[in-house]
Amino acid sequence: MSRSVVILGTQWGDEGKGKIVDLLARDVDAVVRYQGGHNAGHTLVINGEKTVLHVIPSGVLTERARCLVGNGVVVAPQALMKEVEGLEARGIEVRSRLGLSPACPAILPFHEAMDRAREAARGSRAIGTTGRGIGPAYEDKIVRHGLRLADLADPQRLKDKLESVVDYYNFLLVNYYKAEAVVLQAVADEAARLGEILKPMFTDVTGDLHDLRAAGGKILFEGAQGSLLDIDHGTYPFVTSSNTTVGGVLTGAGVGPRDIDYVLGITKAYTTRVGGGPFPTELDDADGRMMAERGVEFGATTGRPRRCGWLDAVAMKRMARVNGVTGLCITKLDVLDTFEQVKICTAYEGVDYFPVGAEEWQSVRPVYETLPGWKSQTKGLTDVGGLPSAARAYLDRLEELIGVPVHMLSTGPERDANVILQHPFSG
């Protein structure tokens, strides 16, 4: 029986991970975020009420699961507290269940200022970041002059570290990017205030997870973004600043490879992407517009419209291998219900090996296989027997091409709109 399950996206994000985390979290002891920041958004719909979470794990809407944020997550204290207070205003208890690693890098106002200034300077070559300081905060972590949440809760340590970092950022902002400087005292005062608020939520996330596993507890690891946005394995440089693939679980939560029993790859029945970067199967036609309309394809965090296209089985197979995916959960199958035909990209022309960066990706020409559509409703199904035969054939073909079985289907935004063929915690 699986006791530790990883949920991650196998495409460019927005696959519907949050809903599946919420669904499975009802049966676990802890839900853990291990990478990314508040640039990701997980949308949950429960009894018709929509909740968008950014850093707090999606298990917060269950009564049982403890919500842990590992050291691999970059945390914007002000944004986190806004999220906490928004949930508390709805009567949801958060602070007693939320555990933060004090080793999480802190996102501070100068990170956000730098992120926006860089994107503006890139002009037409902008990567499409959310402007929320994610990249600069990870950079500070790597060059070892960044502040962690623990620093914010220690007034003397905060003072010692902050001045030189603010001087560095202000020099670049003013002299290179011709942008406004940030005010040191204002940053310091707000950071200290938030540090005191966050300190009671600090915990040894890594130690807690190992203790919980030793006691036989069930753990769910929740990824943000998608595998094709991984800093190492994605469409570089049009990627995020962290490891969104399974390796991020190990470093971002402090667990070992043998502590993972099952990896669930969340996969949209077609493909979407937000922001810039290559997208071989993108559709700029009526089919793409229909996907966007039926799928309500707008970013949960930014509200930006998502680019849409047919499912890319070549990229999917690669990400399934990179992540060691055990089973797939196919989401938004119902978006394809009205199509006469559906297509799957089964090969790439124009490249001799899997693309390593944006330049190689731009040379890709997709080769499609066309299957008949099913022209009947799949939304809300909870029994695999109700699937139209053509929809079943589409899923069977995906299994063949990707080399991983479909274990779950999400058939709508509501928590219980699912077909479960094999439960991740029973495998």
Side-chain angles (χ1 to χ4, degrees):
M1 177 180 290
S2 301
R3 291 184 290 123
S4 295
V5 171
V6 177
I7 290 183
L8 47 74
T10 58
Q11 297 160 306
W12 277 290
D14 308 307
E15 300 96 345
K17 297 179 290 295
K19 174 200 164 174
I20 304 303
V21 174
D22 170 71
L23 171 69
L24 300 181
R26 289 181 285 184
D27 302 317
V28 306
D29 299 287
V31 180
V32 191
R33 269 287 302 274
Y34 55 87
Q35 52 77 219
H38 66 308
N39 55 334
H42 287 170
T43 301
L44 315 179
V45 180
I46 300 172
N47 298 325
E49 184 174 18
K50 184 168 78 171
T51 301
V52 180
L53 300 171
H54 300 282
V55 172
I56 297 173
S58 299
V60 73
L61 299 186
T62 69
E63 295 181 359
R64 174 180 171 183
R66 191 172 181 210
C67 298
L68 300 174
V69 178
N71 58 277
V73 180
V74 286
V75 175
Q78 196 165 48
L80 175 61
M81 287 313 303
K82 181 179 180 181
E83 194 172 337
V84 169
E85 291 163 1
L87 291 167
E88 289 177 338
R90 293 168 47 190
I92 299 168
E93 174 56 36
V94 180
R95 298 185 207 211
S96 65
R97 298 174 56 203
L98 180 61
L100 305 172
S101 170
C104 288
I107 303 175
L108 296 168
F110 44 82
H111 294 128
E112 297 174 0
M114 179 61 73
D115 202 353
R116 292 191 296 267
R118 281 181 179 165
E119 281 291 272
R122 289 186 179 111
S124 62
R125 297 182 297 109
I127 292 172
T129 77
T130 59
R132 301 191 176 199
I134 309 299
Y138 274 120
E139 289 173 35
D140 280 0
K141 171 184 175 178
I142 297 303
V143 298
R144 300 181 294 277
H145 70 206
L147 281 78
R148 294 170 154 190
L149 294 185
D151 298 320
L152 274 56
D154 185 317
Q156 187 58 52
R157 197 192 310 176
L158 176 63
K159 180 181 177 182
D160 292 343
K161 291 188 175 185
L162 195 58
E163 185 172 356
S164 62
V165 177
V166 171
D167 283 347
Y168 166 78
Y169 274 98
N170 277 343
F171 180 83
L172 288 175
L173 287 168
V174 173
N175 294 288
Y176 188 82
Y177 291 105
K178 310 304 178 186
E180 291 185 11
V182 298
V183 179
L184 172 61
Q185 194 59 54
V187 173
D189 290 346
E190 181 66 356
R193 183 185 74 83
L194 290 164
E196 283 302 304
I197 296 173
L198 295 177
K199 189 174 182 179
M201 291 178 266
F202 289 173
T203 188
D204 177 10
V205 170
T206 297
D208 292 349
L209 290 173
H210 284 281
D211 290 346
L212 184 57
R213 185 166 171 86
K218 291 183 179 179
I219 303 168
L220 195 60
F221 294 93
E222 174 185 27
Q225 290 93 30
S227 294
L228 287 167
L229 292 176
D230 185 275
I231 187 69
D232 290 306
H233 297 282
T235 50
Y236 187 90
F238 296 92
V239 292
T240 194
S241 301
S242 61
N243 287 114
T244 60
T245 46
V246 72
V249 180
L250 311 186
T251 57
V255 298
R258 290 183 296 177
D259 295 321
I260 296 173
D261 302 312
Y262 180 106
V263 179
L264 181 65
I266 312 300
T267 303
K268 200 174 285 186
Y270 49 104
T271 310
T272 62
R273 177 163 200 169
V274 170
F279 183 177
T281 64
E282 182 174 10
L283 296 173
D284 186 19
D285 60 12
D287 285 342
R289 290 189 290 274
M290 185 182 296
M291 288 176 186
E293 180 180 343
R294 287 181 53 82
V296 193
E297 295 295 353
F298 296 92
T301 297
T302 64
R304 291 184 293 181
R306 299 179 186 133
R307 302 151 62 191
C308 297
W310 297 115
L311 191 141
D312 187 337
V314 180
M316 277 282 308
K317 183 175 183 178
R318 176 70 166 220
M319 293 303 106
R321 288 175 166 178
V322 167
N323 289 300
V325 172
T326 313
L328 296 173
C329 173
I330 305 296
T331 65
K332 290 195 170 184
L333 185 67
D334 59 287
V335 172
L336 302 181
D337 284 352
T338 60
F339 285 80
E340 294 285 348
Q341 297 178 324
V342 292
K343 295 183 180 182
I344 305 171
C345 173
T346 58
Y348 291 161
E349 288 184 352
V351 294
D352 297 324
Y353 48 83
F354 192 81
V356 298
E359 294 82 5
E360 290 83 6
W361 278 95
Q362 295 290 8
S363 302
V364 165
R365 296 186 300 275
V367 177
Y368 289 113
E369 181 176 311
T370 302
L371 286 78
W374 40 95
K375 298 289 289 182
S376 58
Q377 183 171 309
T378 61
K379 187 172 184 178
L381 285 180
T382 56
D383 181 1
V384 70
L387 273 180
S389 59
R392 180 70 259 184
Y394 179 71
L395 297 174
D396 289 345
R397 186 60 179 139
L398 291 183
E399 289 183 335
E400 292 174 3
L401 291 167
I402 298 165
V404 178
V406 174
H407 283 172
M408 295 179 65
L409 298 174
S410 171
T411 57
E414 285 284 352
R415 176 188 269 177
D416 293 317
N418 309 286
V419 176
I420 300 178
L421 303 173
Q422 179 176 315
H423 197 288
F425 280 101
S426 65

